[in-house]
Amino acid sequence: MPTTATEAAAPPNQPKPWAEGPTAVAGYDDGTINIAHEALDRHVAAGHGGQVALRWLGREGGASDLTYADLCERAERFANVLAAHGLGPGDSLFALLGRQPELYAGALGALKAGLVFTPLFSAFGPEPIRTRMEIGEATALLTTASLYRRKIGAWREAMPGLKLVLIVGDEAPPGCTALGPALDAAAPAFETVRMDSEAPALIHFTSGTTGRPKGAVHVHGAVAYHAYSGRAALGLAPGKIYWCTADPGWVTGTTYGIVAPLVNRVTMIVDEAEFDLERWYGIVEREKVQIWYSAPTAIRMMMRAGAEAAAPYDFSSLEFLASVGEPLNPEAVTWSAEVFGQPFHDNWWQTETGGIMIANRPGMEVRPGSMGKPLAGIEAAIVEREGEDVRELGPQQVGELALRPGWPSMMRGYLHEEARYARAFVGGWYLSGDLAMRDADGYYWFVGRADDLIKSSGHLIGPFEVESALIEHAAVAEAGVIGVPDETAGEIVKAYVTLNPGYEPSEALEREVRGHARKTLGPAVAPREIVFRKTLPRTRSGKIMRRLLKARELGLPEGDISTLETDET
Ligand code: ATP
Ligand code: MG
C-alpha cells in the first residue's frame, strides 16, 4: 500500500489533465524541467517578450511595468549574482521583502539558478524568521537594509551557513551585498539550470493556524499542476489581467501570485500596499482587472464597508472572482454577486497540496457556502479513520477530506518532520485534517478543522456553520466560534464577534444576535454566549485563529504565535 506522495502514483486509469491540453508544460527535451523556464524563458523564446508580465503599483502611487523580457533579464542577472557567489543547486534563498519587483525577479532568478526559494512575510518578527531560516538551512537571503538591521543583524553570526545576504538598493550594511550594483555588474543572460522534476524548488511554511508551522517541500515538476490548475480553477489565460492579492509569504501569493500566472502568460497586477478599500476598488477599475483572487478576510472587510462604498466604481472588467484560505460564508457569495456582478468563487487547497484541489470553477453553478468540486484529475473522498486504514463515507456524511496522492504539486515532505509527513498518508489517501461533507451532486462543503470541531450534548458542530449564521445578522462583521468545556453538555458553543460600523456592544444586541442564531441554527447549535470584540486574532494570511481564542478563554498557553498578525512591522 502506498504511504507517501512519491510512492503513490495516480492509478493508471485516472486521467491526468495536467499532462495534456493547452496548459501542459513542455520541460526540456531531455526530461528535465525548471519552473522559471516555464514561467519566463518559454514565453520569451516564443516571441512574447514584449507582453507586460508584471504591473507594479507602488505604495506611494506610481506604476511600473516589467515585460516578460524585462523580468527574464532581471531574473537572469539575479541568477548570475548567485552563481558568482558560488550558489546553485543544493542552496536555498529566503526572501524577506515586501511586494516589490526585486522579490519577483529574485524568486525566478533563484529558481533559474537551481536554488530552493522560500518567501517569508516581511512583517514577521526576528524569531519566526530565524527559526524558519534555520529549519530551511538558508544559504542566501534577499532583504532590505532596514529589515536586515531590525530583524536579522542581531543573530546573523549564529548562522554561519548563511553565505550571502543581498540588500535591495545601492548600499548594504557590513557583511552584506548591495543588490543594485551587483545586478549592474552581472551579465544579462543566464542559462537556466535544468532540474530533475523531483528536485526541490519551493519551501512554504504553513499558516500556523492550528499550531507550529510546518515547512512543506515542493518540486520543480509541480509547475505542471500550477499551470493546469491556474487555468482550470481561475481561468488564467494569455493576456488576461489578473490580480492575486495574497502576499508571497503565503503559499497562495507564490503559487498563484508568481508561478501559475506567469506560466499561463497573464499580466499580473502587484500592489505593494496593504488592504485599503478605496485603493483596491480603484485598482480593479483603473487596471481593468479581469480575474481577481482574494481571501474571505478581505471580502468581509468589503462587506463591512457596505455596497455604498463600492457603488462609485466601475467593475465591468471583472470576469472571474475567486477566494481561498478560509471558508467563504454564503453571505459573502451573494453579496459579491450583487455588488461586483460576479460572485466570489470559493476554492480549497492547502500549503501541502501545492495547488487548488476543489473549486467553484469558471462556468460552474456556484452553490453559496460550498467549496465546489474537485478539479478534473483530482480524486477526493470523505473518509473516516479506522486504525491504520480509512473507510470512505457516502454523500451527506461528515468526515475527513482525503485526496488520492499522485498529482504533481503534492508536497514531498515536511522539513525535518518525517514522521508527521508519513502520518498524513493512510490507506492510500492523503488526509487533509479538514472535515467536510459531499452532497449528492458532488459539491464539497467545509465543516471545520478537525481540531475545531465542537461536541455539545451529543451534537457535532462545525464552527463555520455557526459563524456563517452569525454574520447574516446586520450588526455582525466577523465571528470566531469555539467550544468551551461544560459539565453537562461536554462543550458549549461560544462566539467572538466584531461589529459593523454603526453598532455598539450591548446586552440587548447580544440577546438579539443570539436570538437570530437560535432561529437559524436551532438551540442545540446556536452559541450560548457571545462576546463582542474590536478585532479577532488572525494569521498574517488572514485566517481567524480559533485555537488562540480558545487558549485565552481557558487560560492555557498560547502555543506558537509566530504568524499572529500584529501592528508591529
Ligand atoms: P497550519 O497547517 O499551520 O495550521 P493552515 O492549515 O491554515 O495552517 P494553510 O496551508 O495556509 O495553513 O491553509 C490551509 C487550510 O486553510 C486548509 O486546510 C483549510 O483548513 C483552510 N482553507 C483553505 N481554503 C479553504 C476554503 N476554501 N474553505 C475552508 N477552509 C479553507
Ligand atoms: Mg494546515
Side-chain angles (χ1 to χ4, degrees):
M1 185 187 307
T3 52
T4 64
T6 27
E7 287 166 34
N13 57 352
Q14 200 175 308
K16 297 191 186 80
W18 45 84
E20 53 201 44
T23 59
V25 296
Y28 295 103
D29 299 344
D30 59 2
T32 56
I33 195 163
N34 188 307
I35 292 177
H37 172 254
E38 303 299 331
L40 297 175
D41 310 5
R42 202 167 49 105
H43 302 315
V44 175
H48 302 296
Q51 183 191 320
V52 176
L54 190 163
R55 182 163 175 77
W56 180 76
L57 309 176
R59 184 177 284 120
E60 311 300 337
S64 59
D65 289 344
L66 288 179
T67 63
Y68 274 87
D70 296 335
L71 190 55
C72 192
E73 184 190 320
R74 287 208 190 188
E76 300 208 337
R77 284 183 187 269
F78 193 93
N80 276 319
V81 171
L82 296 173
H85 285 84
L87 299 173
D91 286 302
S92 153
L93 175 83
F94 273 60
L96 182 73
L97 205 55
R99 289 181 296 276
Q100 52 194 93
E102 289 81 358
L103 174 61
Y104 296 80
L108 292 155
L111 292 168
K112 269 181 176 285
L115 281 78
V116 174
F117 176 69
T118 302
L120 297 178
F121 280 103
S122 59
F124 274 158
E127 204 43 48
I129 295 167
R130 178 177 176 170
T131 321
R132 285 163 179 73
M133 287 178 65
E134 281 173 354
I135 298 176
E137 293 164 30
T139 50
L141 171 69
L142 172 63
T143 188
T144 66
S146 152
L147 288 168
Y148 180 82
R149 282 198 196 92
R150 285 185 290 140
K151 303 184 179 193
I152 314 275
W155 54 267
R156 160 99 189 258
E157 293 302 311
M159 215 180 145
L162 183 58
K163 294 184 227 157
L164 176 67
V165 177
L166 291 166
I167 302 289
V168 173
D170 293 335
E171 284 168 31
C176 303
T177 302
L179 182 64
L183 289 176
D184 290 343
F190 179 91
E191 195 172 332
T192 304
V193 178
R194 297 175 178 218
M195 304 297 289
D196 188 276
S197 64
E198 284 297 310
L202 300 162
I203 290 172
H204 285 293
F205 288 88
T206 59
S207 292
T209 315
T210 55
R212 191 164 52 82
K214 300 144 273 188
V217 181
H218 294 282
V219 297
H220 275 276
V223 68
Y225 196 80
H226 298 156
Y228 159 71
S229 59
R231 180 154 176 144
L234 302 175
L236 302 184
K240 292 282 183 198
I241 309 223
Y242 167 66
W243 184 22
C244 170
T245 64
D247 188 274
W250 176 35
V251 68
T252 303
T254 300
T255 303
Y256 296 101
I258 304 180
V259 181
L262 293 176
V263 176
N264 280 296
R265 195 161 51 79
V266 310
T267 292
M268 320 192 283
I269 304 294
V270 172
D271 183 25
E272 188 187 22
E274 298 310 316
F275 176 84
D276 174 273
L277 190 82
E278 287 177 13
R279 183 179 173 101
W280 276 32
Y281 286 166
I283 290 173
V284 172
E285 177 182 75
R286 203 174 50 250
E287 304 301 335
K288 301 193 168 38
V289 172
Q290 293 168 294
I291 304 171
W292 195 16
Y293 195 20
S294 198
T297 176
I299 299 164
R300 288 192 297 257
M301 283 197 266
M302 295 176 204
M303 289 168 71
R304 191 174 176 168
E308 315 81 71
Y313 297 88
D314 175 4
F315 295 116
S316 59
S317 60
L318 286 172
E319 293 173 5
F320 189 74
L321 288 68
S323 163
V324 71
E326 278 199 302
L328 185 64
N329 315 89
E331 176 90 354
V333 178
T334 35
W335 183 87
S336 57
E338 277 162 30
V339 171
F340 302 117
Q342 298 284 334
F344 271 97
H345 292 66
D346 190 18
N347 58 55
W348 177 94
W349 60 292
Q350 308 178 299
T351 308
E352 290 86 343
T353 69
I356 298 168
M357 298 282 107
I358 296 180
N360 289 281
R361 296 185 307 273
M364 196 172 125
E365 180 211 339
V366 175
R367 299 206 172 159
S370 162
M371 321 192 273
K373 295 183 179 185
L375 294 193
I378 295 299
E379 188 187 348
I382 301 294
V383 306
E384 191 171 65
R385 295 183 195 234
E386 276 187 344
E388 292 304 295
D389 215 340
V390 297
R391 185 168 65 92
E392 285 186 45
L393 302 179
Q396 309 296 347
Q397 288 186 286
V398 174
E400 191 163 352
L401 176 54
L403 300 158
R404 186 78 77 188
W407 69 95
S409 69
M410 179 64 200
M411 68 163 166
R412 298 300 196 270
Y414 284 131
L415 276 183
H416 309 306
E417 290 193 87
E418 275 164 37
R420 180 172 208 157
Y421 173 68
R423 271 203 309 279
F425 298 87
V426 181
W429 293 93
Y430 162 71
L431 300 187
S432 68
D434 285 345
L435 299 174
M437 190 266 290
R438 183 181 62 241
D439 68 19
D441 301 320
Y443 281 79
Y444 281 73
W445 301 77
F446 183 79
V447 172
R449 311 264 188 158
D451 300 354
D452 291 338
L453 201 69
I454 303 163
K455 298 176 194 78
S456 186
S457 304
H459 296 274
L460 286 181
I461 303 167
F464 175 49
E465 179 188 13
V466 182
E467 290 161 9
S468 290
L470 287 168
I471 75 163
E472 279 168 21
H473 190 282
V476 176
E478 277 199 304
V481 165
I482 60 167
V484 178
D486 178 82
E487 273 184 15
T488 29
E491 279 186 306
I492 57 159
V493 179
K494 179 163 183 175
Y496 293 81
V497 156
T498 64
L499 293 175
N500 277 320
Y503 292 90
E504 289 299 326
S506 70
E507 273 180 35
L509 184 60
E510 201 248 1
R511 263 198 312 279
E512 189 189 313
V513 175
R514 256 191 309 122
H516 159 82
R518 241 194 337 270
K519 235 188 304 158
T520 337
L521 299 164
V525 178
R528 205 75 78 71
E529 210 185 318
I530 296 179
V531 180
F532 296 118
R533 282 286 161 86
K534 282 219 154 46
T535 56
L536 298 178
R538 58 180 72 254
T539 65
R540 294 202 177 279
S541 48
K543 300 162 193 257
I544 297 171
M545 290 174 92
R546 294 176 193 80
R547 72 170 161 98
L548 212 53
L549 288 172
K550 191 155 180 169
R552 289 174 180 172
E553 169 74 34
L554 304 179
L556 296 172
E558 294 194 340
D560 185 303
I561 51 163
S562 59
T563 61
L564 179 66
E565 189 181 51
T566 61
D567 298 332
E568 184 256 5
T569 48

